[in-house]
Amino acid sequence: TWQYSFFFLILSTFINPYTLYKSRNVLKTSETNLIPALIKDKSFNDTIKGLTFFIEEKNKKSGMLKNIFIRDDSGRDGKSKTIIAKKGFIKKKGNQLYLFLENGIIQKEKQNGKINFIKFDNTMFNLSTFSPSTITAIKIQERNILDLLSCLNIIDYKSNYNCSSIKTSAFNEINRRLGMPIYIILMSIIVSYMLVSYNENKNNYYDYLIFFTCALIMIFSEIFIRYSGKNFTFTTLFYLTPIFLILISYFNLYRLFNKKILDKVWQNV
């Protein structure tokens, strides 16, 4: 049992967050490469975060775009920018994806509220600096355990993760990763009670009782996790309760196994 719990601890603490983080990067890269396919003609398109496209005509074979309208709301100053071009095309240069535009005008709002007009014959727009709307910030489940521990000032670890506003969630995530293996041990011991009474109970009531008990353990563990980051009492209960139940269940199971063995010995005498 402890081997599976140790494997689950390694899986939930290191492997799972790492694979989630890597899969998000792969998804982000693949979706960025899919941007040309996401841009459609004769409709407003906001699949790229911060940008709104309208293209009157798109040649599916050559990829040439005609009569392009782009509204850029990604500026840090909060001012929008509008780009209008007669034609353009999307091309990848190295690892970067660019939108090349021809014969157009850029309208940008200044800080004083006035509109600045810039005409151009050729210009290019780096699409790789943008992300599809489906990509969000890295979730706390994808963070390294060292980042979370550093967030709570438990260890001294250099991390770029700013989690000052979600310390409670970080505490909950740490408890989930480190504490759930203890509950797996507890449920494994409870399931082992089926071996003791396998031949004695011909009905399924005992099995249902064990299943119901394991379900209750999972429910209470989730409740403890949810409130563990807010209250030290819940954190203490989250770790000590399963340890206490493990000790009681194990010694009781040990007693039942010995009793069953002794009963068989006396029957054979």
Side-chain angles (χ1 to χ4, degrees):
T1 300
W2 68 268
Q3 294 94 332
Y4 292 107
S5 299
F6 179 75
F7 174 75
F8 181 83
L9 177 64
I10 299 298
L11 185 67
S12 62
T13 304
F14 299 103
I15 300 177
N16 191 43
Y18 177 79
T19 53
L20 287 174
Y21 178 76
K22 285 297 182 180
S23 62
R24 176 173 289 275
N25 287 338
V26 172
L27 180 62
K28 182 176 181 179
T29 303
S30 62
E31 289 197 358
T32 302
N33 294 332
L34 287 174
I35 286 178
L38 296 175
I39 300 176
K40 299 180 181 180
D41 55 359
K42 295 182 174 60
S43 64
F44 284 94
N45 195 308
D46 59 352
T47 54
I48 302 176
K49 190 175 181 180
L51 297 179
T52 301
F53 279 86
F54 181 85
I55 298 169
E56 184 176 352
E57 183 180 347
K58 178 180 179 180
N59 190 313
K60 295 182 179 180
K61 292 184 178 180
S62 63
M64 183 62 67
L65 311 174
K66 292 185 179 181
N67 297 330
I68 305 166
F69 169 87
I70 303 173
R71 180 180 175 86
D72 183 2
D73 295 314
S74 62
R76 295 182 178 179
D77 55 0
K79 302 296 182 180
S80 61
K81 180 171 60 176
T82 301
I83 303 174
I84 301 173
K86 289 186 177 181
K87 60 180 180 178
F89 59 93
I90 298 176
K91 185 178 180 180
K92 191 171 184 180
K93 295 181 64 176
N95 295 326
Q96 303 294 312
L97 192 66
Y98 291 93
L99 172 61
F100 293 87
L101 301 172
E102 300 178 7
N103 301 326
I105 186 171
I106 299 175
Q107 304 174 7
K108 187 173 182 180
E109 184 181 0
K110 294 183 178 181
Q111 293 292 337
N112 57 10
K114 294 184 178 180
I115 305 298
N116 186 27
F117 294 87
I118 302 175
K119 291 185 178 180
F120 63 85
D121 294 326
N122 295 279
T123 188
M124 60 182 183
F125 199 74
N126 191 352
L127 296 176
S128 298
T129 58
F130 299 88
S131 299
S133 299
T134 54
I135 299 297
T136 58
I138 298 176
K139 296 181 179 179
I140 195 170
Q141 294 87 349
E142 302 168 5
R143 288 293 178 180
N144 189 301
I145 186 68
L146 298 178
D147 289 333
L148 300 179
L149 293 173
S150 175
C151 172
L152 300 176
N153 298 322
I154 297 177
I155 63 172
D156 185 14
Y157 176 73
K158 294 182 180 180
S159 174
N160 297 324
Y161 183 36
N162 183 13
C163 58
S164 58
S165 61
I166 55 170
K167 285 192 174 182
T168 300
S169 300
F171 203 177
N172 293 345
E173 182 64 21
I174 291 173
N175 289 337
R176 182 183 298 277
R177 297 185 190 181
L178 301 181
M180 287 307 295
I182 304 176
Y183 285 85
I184 292 178
I185 296 175
L186 175 59
M187 289 187 290
S188 300
I189 293 175
I190 291 176
V191 171
S192 299
Y193 276 87
M194 297 176 63
L195 300 175
V196 177
S197 57
Y198 180 76
N199 296 324
E200 300 175 2
N201 294 274
K202 296 182 179 180
N203 53 52
N204 294 326
Y205 294 118
Y206 197 76
D207 296 346
Y208 292 144
L209 178 61
I210 291 176
F211 175 80
F212 182 72
T213 303
C214 291
L216 283 179
I217 291 173
M218 292 300 298
I219 293 173
F220 280 110
S221 66
E222 289 296 330
I223 294 175
F224 284 145
I225 288 175
R226 179 168 296 183
Y227 292 99
S228 62
K230 301 179 181 179
N231 193 311
F232 179 76
T233 302
F234 279 101
T235 303
T236 305
L237 289 174
F238 175 71
Y239 286 100
L240 293 184
T241 300
I243 293 175
F244 178 73
L245 293 176
I246 285 173
L247 294 175
I248 294 177
S249 301
Y250 177 79
F251 285 113
N252 186 52
L253 184 65
Y254 181 78
R255 181 185 63 82
L256 291 176
F257 267 116
N258 285 339
K259 183 178 180 299
K260 189 173 183 180
I261 293 173
L262 289 175
D263 291 341
K264 288 185 176 180
V265 170
W266 282 107
Q267 289 176 3
N268 296 327
V269 173

